[in-house]
Amino acid sequence: MQQGTRSRQGPVRDPVDGTRSGQAGGSAYALDRGRLDELLGHAFPASGTRDIRMPWTDRFFYDAPAADGRDVEEAVRKARVAQRAWAATPLRTRRAVLRAFRAELAVRGEEALDVAQLETGKARRDALEELADIALVGRYYDRRAEELLRPRRRAGVLPFLTRVWELRKPHGVVGVIAPWNYPLALAASDALPALLAGNAVVVKPDLQTSLSALWIAEGLRRAGVPDDVFQVVTGDGPTAGGAVVEHADFLMFTGSSETGRKVAKRAGERLIDFTLELGGKNALVVLEDADVDRAVAGILRGCFANAGQLCISLERVLVHRAIYDELRHRLELAVPTLAIGPGLTYDIDMGSLISEAQLEKTRSHIEDAIERGARLVSGGRARPDLGPWFHEPTILERVAADSLAANHETFGPVVSLAAFADEDEAVRLANRGTYGLNASVWTRDLGRGRRFATRIRAGTVNVNDAYGPAWASVDAPMGGFGDSGSGRRHGADGILKYTASQTVAVQTGHPLVTPAGLGHDLSARAVRAWLRWLGR
Ligand code: NAD
């Protein structure tokens, strides 16, 4: 074991052989070959397959079905047929079905954690946050859907004579395209409000995390979601994802800004609506009056959760110069105490990166920063002794403004530390760049924290926490400014976007046309008088 970072190497063996991994206290489930095949049976039938490897060992895990454009077209066609009956089902029935799914999650969730861990290499506590997300979002929309989706009376143009209702119609088939980093949550949480609103859903997960999405599909089926209403098409991004973009009626895309642009372009051409949840280069600001103990704990979680592969994690830590040295020293001591390693138990703080590509990106950001004069405060090394894609949680300081780590999302466990002189400079540094997803500010003065938050250009800002409160407070919308996306999940927006509004206006008495016999001049005069009244 290298000096510096406490590692914990559980006895990771091939779970496909049925051998448990990790220590006592882990889950009671084993994922044997039979169970794997059962889960894979929930994928929409596809013409090809792709090898999926396990990040902890880089050994073969399973063959994922790889759908081509025609497979996806067929999945969407079937979903469109099934959607009609689903939309005609009373909302209370749809709610009951999705409640049964949440109950299923509570009972069998440990197995889902195994699945997500084995195909991402993440720590179990990070996987557990995924289940929390699904439960929070599911419960929220279960409680709010009736009120948000019910027909509403609107003011008519002529009081008493024009009666107007606003109705909410499902789009039809919602395409959910999801990345690999939170594969359970991102397959389920955006789908639940879409289903409640009466849509069918076709999910295209990242190929590497097909099994997690299939676990969700199985859970929904067991809970009573009718056949074809929720489909999972597994496959390559441009092929299967591209076909979802081509055929769905609404797109809920989560992923990189680069792919998001392509999706938006095609959706624009097709004139369909979409939501984009994209990347970030999020800043955490520690003001001089912050509680340093809490800030250090917040930085550890906020920067290294899911090994930094979290869109709302913080990659830039800005500290008031009065406490900079103290905070850096505290981090120097604290970061090496994080337990990193493989295993299906909860005593590990940070798991592996998912792939060689993520490891290479992490390394290149560190190397580039050091070449341009940065100094390592902690970490900095890959950890092949723990598994092929492990990397130490890493803190850099004096990162040059033109370096990769300063400007581009690393999506790995790399954080740059910088000092600021006053609030204005902190705001300027935090708002640097084109992203605007999440931010965090630490201060003992809560009023000051709220005022500071309003100056930050980001879709969510957490005061005295890293990302948890804004993410978990699902009554409030969540999403990005600038290159971090458009549209929102959570809150009223998070379900209404899955519907198109329809206005039904009933005119009682005379229609809105000039009464016969009034004559053109007289009617024009009447309209002008009305315009004068409107202009008052
Ligand atoms: P990615 O854009 O490469 O892939 C995301 C999904 O899009 C995958 O399912 C992929 O197969 C699919 N895809 C790829 N090319 C496609 C195409 N041409 N047409 C349609 N679909 C296509 O993203 P990634 O690198 O896998 O994920 C990491 C990124 O996701 C990071 O930037 C991260 O910040 C972001 N992310 C954002 C949020 C959020 O809520 N804002 C959440 C998680 C991750």
Side-chain angles (χ1 to χ4, degrees), residues 172-523:
V173 179
V174 168
V176 174
I177 302 179
W180 42 263
N181 64 333
Y182 279 71
L184 297 166
L186 291 167
S189 297
D190 290 318
L192 295 179
L195 291 169
L196 275 175
N199 297 280
V201 172
V202 174
V203 176
K204 208 304 279 176
D206 190 280
L207 195 55
Q208 172 67 30
T209 51
S210 302
L211 217 52
S212 296
L214 294 172
W215 194 95
I216 297 294
E218 184 192 64
L220 286 168
R221 233 164 250 182
R222 285 163 93 122
V225 172
D227 283 353
D228 298 333
V229 166
F230 182 89
Q231 312 256 18
V232 175
V233 288
T234 55
D236 299 318
T239 313
V244 171
V245 175
E246 217 47 58
H247 299 291
D249 304 316
F250 179 94
L251 292 167
M252 172 67 228
F253 175 83
T254 307
S256 62
S257 303
E258 190 189 347
T259 313
R261 277 202 178 85
K262 292 181 195 160
V263 168
K265 183 168 179 236
R266 187 61 194 130
E269 283 165 358
R270 290 193 56 224
L271 298 177
I272 60 166
D273 259 345
F274 55 87
T275 292
L276 302 175
E277 297 284 351
L278 310 175
K281 187 75 197 173
N282 310 310
L284 180 150
V285 176
V286 189
L287 300 177
E288 74 284 3
D289 64 345
D291 179 327
V292 173
D293 284 339
R294 288 188 182 181
V296 167
I299 290 168
L300 294 184
R301 188 69 198 144
C303 300
F304 302 123
N306 215 38
Q309 303 167 119
L310 168 61
C311 55
I312 47 180
S313 76
L314 293 311
E315 296 194 352
R316 298 180 295 141
V317 173
L318 308 169
V319 187
H320 193 281
R321 67 180 174 204
I323 55 167
Y324 182 86
D325 288 343
E326 182 196 355
L327 196 115
R328 179 190 50 200
H329 181 61
R330 298 282 292 278
L331 288 172
E332 242 169 334
L333 298 178
V335 172
T337 67
L338 293 174
I340 71 171
L344 296 172
T345 53
Y346 287 104
D347 55 346
I348 290 167
D349 296 306
M350 200 181 97
S352 169
L353 294 169
I354 194 166
S355 63
E356 186 173 10
Q358 287 306 117
L359 180 68
E360 280 317 310
K361 194 169 175 202
T362 299
R363 281 167 118 150
S364 69
H365 280 204
I366 294 171
E367 278 166 24
D368 170 79
I370 289 173
E371 271 169 26
R372 291 167 201 268
R375 189 185 91 83
L376 261 178
V377 174
S378 188
R381 289 167 302 187
R383 291 296 299 270
D385 54 318
L386 300 174
W389 321 132
F390 278 91
H391 196 283
E392 289 176 341
T394 298
I395 298 197
L396 297 160
E397 65 176 352
R398 295 186 216 141
V399 174
D402 63 349
S403 52
L404 293 172
N407 297 296
H408 300 282
E409 184 185 42
T410 308
F411 221 51
V414 181
V415 176
S416 51
L417 207 58
F420 61 84
D422 55 31
E423 271 193 31
D424 286 345
E425 188 183 10
V427 169
R428 192 171 53 71
L429 291 173
N431 287 341
R432 203 174 155 258
T434 53
Y435 289 116
L437 191 59
N438 181 42
S440 164
V441 54
W442 296 74
T443 168
R444 281 196 171 84
D445 179 342
L446 301 186
R448 183 184 183 197
R450 276 181 60 186
R451 284 191 299 279
F452 187 89
T454 60
R455 300 178 67 192
I456 301 295
R457 193 172 47 81
T460 52
V461 186
N462 293 273
V463 178
N464 290 337
D465 210 320
Y467 62 81
W471 158 70
S473 302
V474 293
D475 190 30
M478 179 162 195
F481 291 3
D483 287 357
S484 292
S486 67
R488 296 290 181 262
R489 52 165 65 109
H490 297 175
D493 290 358
I495 189 164
L496 294 180
K497 71 184 183 187
Y498 292 127
T499 64
S501 64
Q502 180 185 49
T503 297
V504 174
V506 176
Q507 184 66 8
T508 63
H510 200 278
L512 281 186
V513 292
T514 312
L518 203 56
H520 293 304
D521 285 349
L522 210 55
S523 73

Side-chain angles (χ1 to χ4, degrees), residues 68-143:
D68 64 16
R70 260 197 242 151
D71 299 327
V72 174
E73 189 176 356
E74 180 60 7
V76 174
R77 190 191 65 74
K78 287 192 160 185
R80 190 162 281 127
V81 172
Q83 185 264 339
R84 289 186 209 119
W86 178 245
T89 308
L91 178 53
R92 66 172 180 285
T93 310
R94 298 201 295 266
R95 286 177 55 202
V97 167
L98 298 187
R99 262 202 308 279
F101 167 68
R102 282 189 287 128
E104 173 90 3
L105 207 65
V107 175
R108 299 177 54 249
E110 288 293 329
E111 187 193 49
L113 301 185
D114 288 359
V115 171
Q117 281 199 274
L118 291 172
E119 56 183 10
T120 62
K122 64 168 65 189
R124 199 165 190 82
R125 59 181 65 179
D126 296 325
L128 191 59
E129 284 191 355
E130 302 202 45
L131 296 191
D133 183 80
I134 301 169
L136 279 167
V137 170
R139 185 166 183 269
Y140 173 73
Y141 287 114
D142 181 22
R143 293 179 166 206

